[in-house]
Amino acid sequence: MQCPICRRQVNDETELMTCLAGHMREEAARQAKEMQRIYLMMMASQLTIACVTTRIAPQDVVGTFGEVYGLLENLVGKSDVCAEIEEWLKKRGPDSKEA
């Protein structure tokens, strides 16, 4: 008996399932890495567009991105997302710089 993916000889079904499970884990890891690369490319594109269209320094754009990303990460699992965002916006509003 042999694995249909790597053609390695196996002794029984248990060994075959172990080999197949390993291939599935490897493929899942490869896909996760590829998705991360795609998301990073999308973020780089968005940050570049933001810098070019607003003429704001890349450091400031990336800083704002980091703040928004942090907000969104903190919202995971919370029930009243709208209220949390409104509160965050109030804290960042133009009045907060004057105070």
Side-chain angles (χ1 to χ4, degrees), residues 16-88:
L16 176 61
M17 293 307 292
T18 300
C19 191
L20 290 172
H23 294 303
M24 287 189 285
R25 278 191 304 277
E26 290 170 3
E27 181 60 18
R30 186 195 67 75
Q31 287 179 4
K33 187 175 181 179
E34 184 63 19
M35 287 302 298
Q36 182 181 37
R37 191 178 78 66
I38 290 168
Y39 288 139
L40 289 172
M41 291 292 287
M42 288 172 46
M43 284 192 292
S45 174
Q46 291 171 342
L47 290 172
T48 301
I49 290 169
C51 290
V52 171
T53 58
T54 63
R55 297 180 186 205
I56 295 174
Q59 297 85 349
D60 294 337
V61 172
V62 171
T64 301
F65 174 83
E67 290 177 30
V68 172
Y69 184 83
L71 165 70
L72 296 177
E73 280 287 306
N74 288 329
L75 293 177
V76 174
K78 294 199 175 177
S79 60
D80 194 359
V81 172
C82 290
E84 294 279 341
I85 292 172
E86 287 174 4
E87 183 64 30
W88 184 83

